[in-house]
Amino acid sequence: YYTPSNISYITSLVNSDHLAYNHLMLSPAWIAQSPTNPVIFAPTLEETLRWQEASKEIETAHTHGYSISLFPQILFPTNSLDWWAAFPADSEVNWQRWLEQYRAMVYQYAEFAEEAQAEIFVLGGNWLTPALPVANNAEIYHQPGNMESLWEETIAGVRERYHGSLAWLLTADIAKQPPVFLKDVDSLYLQWDIPAEEYSDVSDLSAQIGDKLETIAQPLAENLNKPVTLLLAYPSISGYSGGCISSPNDEGNCINIEALLLEPSVENPALADLNAQADYYQAFVTAVDQRPWVDGVLSQGYYPVNQIHDTSASIHGKPTEIIFANWAAHVLGN
């Protein structure tokens, strides 16, 4: 989440010497236009982090001992599934247009990552799921028959421009049946936004999370023989269960959970539940401590501008931040 006025807060964050962390992910975004437009992805002055600013932030972060991963994304006016539903996927010409514009974006950022010496360049993300050659996507979205090789070519194109470590970010659903082309990346980022089931206490929740880690994440690491970093995204919202949370501002519709993982909540869709988020983080890091095959943990959606006790996934100023910072300090020995 970015606006031009936020840059001073990002600068203050990376200039801080007292943070317990050792890695920062920057996610500059282009904005999705109408899927029927000639131009379907575009940067904007209001929402896209400028290269000059990003370069300064990366340089400052390096000075303060942080390593950097750069993860370019596409943001959507509503949510990505609505956009894909309107995409005229039954035409191979439209898929070619989509691929050309997607490659144009990631190749530009790959060149920037090389220039800025970012340690990791990240592809993927939840929004790309319909474009992956998995499950029955080929039938639903009328994908080209050579989608697997097209992704291999895309990854090869990134490597021509960027010579650091290349990662792919995937969701828990995709992790159960990962695409073959992931053999061509160096590491995996697994977005962990799995809701908690009923639990009696944090210990019970930790055991539940541990079971899921061994069912979903560990096979991914072992079968593909890749390091796995967990990207923890858990909104501080009452009733988070992965199902529909009714919107009070749009009767009959559900809250866009995808948006809550990326930015402060525009509306107050339900009661904020800071303790539920804190419980989940405490249970999560406890489970991770017992599983040395986990390569790292990132907290998604950190909002640097100020402390908001809202329903978003940002931990800034919430009880969760203390839990996560203390755990990071313990793990890193500082």
Side-chain angles (χ1 to χ4, degrees):
Y1 175 80
Y2 168 82
T3 63
S5 61
N6 286 1
I7 195 65
S8 62
Y9 298 97
I10 301 174
T11 302
S12 177
L13 177 70
V14 297
N15 268 315
S16 176
D17 287 319
H18 70 274
L19 294 180
Y21 316 117
N22 66 348
H23 188 85
L24 299 175
M25 174 188 278
L26 291 179
S27 302
W30 284 18
I31 310 305
Q33 312 301 309
S34 168
T36 58
N37 280 358
V39 176
I40 54 180
F41 308 132
T44 69
L45 291 175
E46 298 81 14
E47 296 165 292
T48 303
L49 180 65
R50 293 160 181 77
W51 281 28
Q52 184 178 12
E53 294 170 340
S55 181
K56 288 180 180 178
E57 300 310 334
I58 292 174
E59 182 179 358
T60 302
H62 281 157
T63 300
H64 287 269
Y66 300 105
S67 57
I68 294 291
S69 54
L70 188 73
F71 176 37
Q73 297 191 64
I74 300 293
L75 297 183
F76 296 85
T78 53
N79 64 67
S80 58
L81 288 180
D82 287 346
W83 189 92
W84 279 107
F87 177 68
D90 55 351
S91 165
E92 189 167 336
V93 171
N94 289 328
W95 269 111
Q96 182 177 358
R97 178 169 57 100
W98 181 92
L99 186 62
E100 287 173 351
Q101 294 190 34
Y102 173 75
R103 284 177 173 175
M105 181 194 73
V106 296
Y107 289 170
Q108 285 185 41
Y109 278 111
E111 292 171 356
F112 171 73
E114 177 76 7
E115 178 184 318
Q117 299 182 340
E119 282 77 6
I120 303 173
F121 187 70
V122 187
L123 297 171
N126 182 44
W127 78 275
L128 272 177
T129 298
L132 301 183
V134 296
N136 56 349
N137 275 358
E139 300 173 12
I140 297 174
Y141 295 101
H142 308 282
Q143 293 177 351
N146 61 338
M147 204 66 183
E148 189 77 46
S149 63
L150 291 175
W151 277 114
E152 292 173 351
E153 291 171 9
T154 302
I155 290 171
V158 170
R159 289 205 183 273
E160 289 175 4
R161 295 161 173 82
Y162 172 74
H163 300 94
S165 180
L166 182 60
W168 185 279
L169 194 153
L170 67 166
T171 63
D173 285 341
I174 299 301
K176 297 171 185 176
Q177 188 185 4
V180 176
F181 66 77
L182 291 186
K183 69 183 187 305
D184 295 335
V185 302
D186 301 311
S187 64
L188 302 170
Y189 280 19
L190 177 58
Q191 181 165 315
W192 197 267
D193 53 3
I194 301 174
E197 298 171 6
E198 292 293 328
Y199 62 93
S200 56
D201 53 28
V202 172
S203 178
D204 180 36
L205 178 57
S206 183
Q208 179 190 129
I209 293 172
D211 289 342
K212 287 185 170 66
L213 285 171
E214 291 174 0
T215 302
I216 299 171
Q218 189 170 9
L220 184 70
E222 293 177 348
N223 294 340
L224 293 178
N225 193 28
K226 309 282 185 185
V228 171
T229 293
L230 301 171
L231 188 63
L232 183 51
Y234 202 86
S236 51
I237 188 171
S238 179
Y240 180 52
S241 63
C244 178
I245 301 176
S246 298
S247 170
N249 300 338
D250 193 1
E251 188 174 348
N253 288 320
C254 305
I255 295 303
N256 182 8
I257 295 295
E258 187 177 311
L260 289 182
L261 305 183
L262 295 174
E263 60 183 325
S265 51
V266 176
E267 59 178 337
N268 186 17
L271 294 175
D273 192 339
L274 306 188
N275 290 331
Q277 186 192 50
D279 282 353
Y280 197 93
Y281 264 75
Q282 183 63 66
F284 184 86
V285 297
T286 300
V288 165
D289 273 340
Q290 300 166 14
R291 290 160 178 86
W293 50 265
V294 175
D295 192 61
V297 176
L298 287 167
S299 177
Q300 186 179 16
Y302 192 92
Y303 183 61
V305 176
N306 51 30
Q307 302 179 9
I308 304 178
H309 290 179
D310 68 345
T311 55
S312 74
S314 175
I315 65 173
H316 189 191
K318 298 175 183 177
T320 302
E321 185 167 30
I322 298 173
I323 293 170
F324 192 59
N326 287 342
W327 177 77
H330 168 71
V331 169
L332 299 174
N334 59 12

